[in-house]
Each structure stands twice: as structure tokens, then as C-alpha cells.
Amino acid sequence: MSTTQSTVVVTGALGGVGRWVVDRLVAEGRDVVGLDQRLPAAGGPDGASFFEVDLRDQGETAELIAGADPDAVVHLAAIPDPTGHAGSRVFTNNTESAYNVLHAAGSAGADVVWASSESAYGFPFADRVLAPDYVPVDEAHPLRPADPYGASKEAGEAVARATARRHGVSVVSVRPSWVQYPGDYLTERNREAFDIDELAARSTDAPPEGGIGNFWSYIDVRDLASMVTAALAADVDGHEAYLCHAAENYLGVDTERLFDALFEETPPCDTEGDASAFTTAKAERDLGWTPDHAWRKAADADVDGPDFA
């Protein structure tokens, strides 16, 4: 992708992540076309226009993306987890919309950055605690989802690879962790309730009460937005996937100690201190991206975020 793009289509533009991405793109001087299931109440920020769309409708999706004549498409819209909906709805919605958006983007000659998920590995929504093959997990680790959300993201990455091959555009699959918002970190409840002795004393392979998150990983929404813009500016050939995680776990406990408590047979663990169980070394190498925000300051930060919804 080049740095000369001027028009970017953003799907899910009014979602929690979408608003931060739109706000950042507008601040960078991009013309943004936002697509969502509804329109913003106050019209949205200057530099952005919005259209209501059902991304499961291929005709609507293709018409709006072709009409925008974008340089790039950022696809963020999805049902974000397998809870609260029938699994068939989660899988069908996410895969159908991903196909429609990526195919329309490729047909328009637009490069793509889209939100896959670390859930494609199969860890977050499993009904038992699954051990990774090694820690820190990287992009080469096998994807083994057993839930409809993780499976939809693995399927979406297959669509991403097909789009890059078929249309000759670049497609970046961002695999973010649990997204947190400055001043409102949901991780804080998990951290305050955490007890490593209780974790080690579990008698079953079921997740402990409160779960383990994504091996206690997270990402600040501002860092996710910065990875999107870094991917838009980078020279990516074909399809590439990148993990998007904060540099440390949200507990402030040594990661290797956590894995020792979680598993009878600890997977190979090459981390120092409370470093994240997922590595973003590939993103640093290829995109020049590193996370800037950590829970110790961001959890209670008073930050003015996007004010349109």
C-alpha cells in the first residue's frame, strides 16, 4: 500500500473501534466514506460522509464501494463474539460481509485492511483451556478455532488471501486482542479479582471463573487505530496477517509464572517479565508499528475520544 491514498471506505464506522479509526483518518487528511447499519445522529466529523448499508447484501455493498472509488477499504464491521447470538448468525454474518466487502474492494482496485482476530487461534472462546504450542504466540502459530466467531475470522482470512490473489491488491489481516478504551478498561475487573493460587488450584481444564481473557492480553483502541493507518501506509505484497497486542499482560504478573499455574505441562515460554503472550515483532518489522499505551496509565486516563455516534 502507498502513502498517497486519499479516499478510504471504513465499514463498521460507527462502532467502538470504527469511530476511533475514522477520527484518526480524518485527522490525517483522508476523505472517509463510512458504512454502517445506521447513520450518525449529528452527521459525523468534517471530512467524512456516511451511508447506511446491509453488508450482507452484495449489491448494496458493491454499489457503495464502487461509487466511493476508494484507494483503500478498512473492514471493521462484524458481530464481535459468539455470545448473545445464534452461532449460525455470527458465522454467516461475518463471513458473508467479509466476502462482499473484500470482493467489492478488490474489484475496485482498492487495498484492504480488515479486522480478523486472535480468536482465530481458538483460545478465547474455547470451553476448556487450550495450550498454545509455544509462547509468545506469533502469526505462524496454527489457527484452531472451535467457535463460530473464531471460525468466521479464519474463513475471512481465506477470503483475504483469495482477494489478494484474484485482484492483485494487498490485504492486511489485523489480529487484535481484547480492545480497551482509555478511562474505561474492562480488564481492571479481571485484574482486581485475579488470584494466582486459585488459578493453580483448579481441578478441571475448564476456564477459571472470569476466564483467562486472551491469556490476559489486550490492546488499547488508539493502538489498534494506529496499526490500521500503519498498514495503509506500508508496502505490503499480497496478503499478510499481523497480531495487534499491548506489550504486556494486564495483570502485572510474570507471564511464564501464569502459564506454569495454568497448565500442568507448561508450553515452551520465551517471555521476560509480564510481556504479552502474543508477539508483535512482525508488525514492528514490516509496518514500523509498536503499541504506545499500557494499562497502568490508560485504564484511568481522561482522554477525549470521538464525539460522533
Side-chain angles (χ1 to χ4, degrees):
M1 301 181 186
S2 71
T3 59
T4 60
Q5 294 147 343
S6 58
T7 301
V8 182
V9 169
V10 179
T11 73
L14 300 183
V17 175
R19 284 178 287 135
W20 285 85
V21 170
V22 169
D23 198 56
R24 186 180 181 99
L25 290 170
V26 168
E28 291 184 355
R30 315 268 189 159
D31 293 326
V32 175
V33 177
L35 306 183
D36 212 304
Q37 294 177 310
R38 58 187 175 85
L39 298 175
D46 292 339
S49 57
F50 293 84
F51 294 87
E52 186 175 324
V53 64
D54 181 354
L55 295 176
R56 296 169 300 177
D57 187 306
Q58 187 177 34
E60 284 188 27
T61 304
E63 178 183 348
L64 289 173
I65 290 178
D69 190 23
D71 301 286
V73 172
V74 176
H75 177 46
L76 304 173
I79 296 175
D81 65 54
T83 62
H85 301 279
S88 56
R89 182 178 178 187
V90 173
F91 182 81
T92 301
N93 177 85
N94 291 357
T95 54
E96 193 169 19
S97 60
Y99 177 82
N100 290 343
V101 171
L102 270 63
H103 178 65
S107 297
D111 293 328
V112 178
V113 177
W114 82 286
S116 180
S117 173
E118 68 176 9
S119 295
Y121 291 108
F123 306 127
F125 297 110
D127 58 5
R128 58 190 178 89
V129 178
L130 301 176
D133 292 354
Y134 51 83
V135 180
V137 175
D138 59 14
E139 290 80 0
H141 190 286
L143 306 181
R144 301 174 181 135
D147 67 276
Y149 177 69
S152 76
K153 293 304 183 178
E154 183 180 25
E157 291 199 20
V159 172
R161 292 190 294 272
T163 298
R165 288 192 295 264
R166 180 175 184 180
H167 298 286
V169 297
S170 66
V171 184
V172 169
S173 296
V174 178
R175 297 175 182 169
S177 187
W178 184 17
V179 181
Q180 304 298 310
Y181 296 85
D184 189 27
Y185 266 45
L186 299 181
T187 56
E188 290 301 277
R189 291 181 296 185
N190 288 12
R191 185 176 64 81
E192 291 168 2
F194 178 75
D195 186 318
I196 196 166
D197 293 328
E198 289 183 6
L199 179 67
R202 287 164 35 255
S203 59
T204 71
D205 63 357
E209 185 175 352
I212 58 172
N214 308 325
F215 296 129
W216 305 282
S217 69
Y218 71 99
I219 186 66
D220 190 287
V221 68
R222 294 166 292 179
D223 288 330
L224 176 50
S226 73
M227 177 175 278
V228 169
T229 56
L232 289 173
D235 184 15
V236 176
D237 185 22
H239 170 261
E240 293 290 345
Y242 295 96
L243 285 164
C244 185
H245 290 63
E248 64 292 302
N249 66 56
Y250 61 71
L251 294 176
V253 177
D254 283 4
T255 301
E256 187 170 4
R257 184 181 174 208
L258 291 170
F259 277 88
D260 284 341
L262 188 60
F263 298 108
E264 289 187 9
E265 295 185 11
T266 307
C269 190
D270 184 18
T271 57
E272 294 185 5
D274 63 352
S276 174
F278 297 80
T279 175
T280 58
K282 182 181 177 184
E284 181 175 4
R285 182 194 71 210
D286 292 0
L287 307 179
W289 177 90
T290 55
D292 289 329
H293 301 94
W295 64 269
R296 287 179 174 87
K297 291 185 178 180
D300 298 321
D302 184 9
V303 176
D304 291 330
D307 59 0
F308 64 95

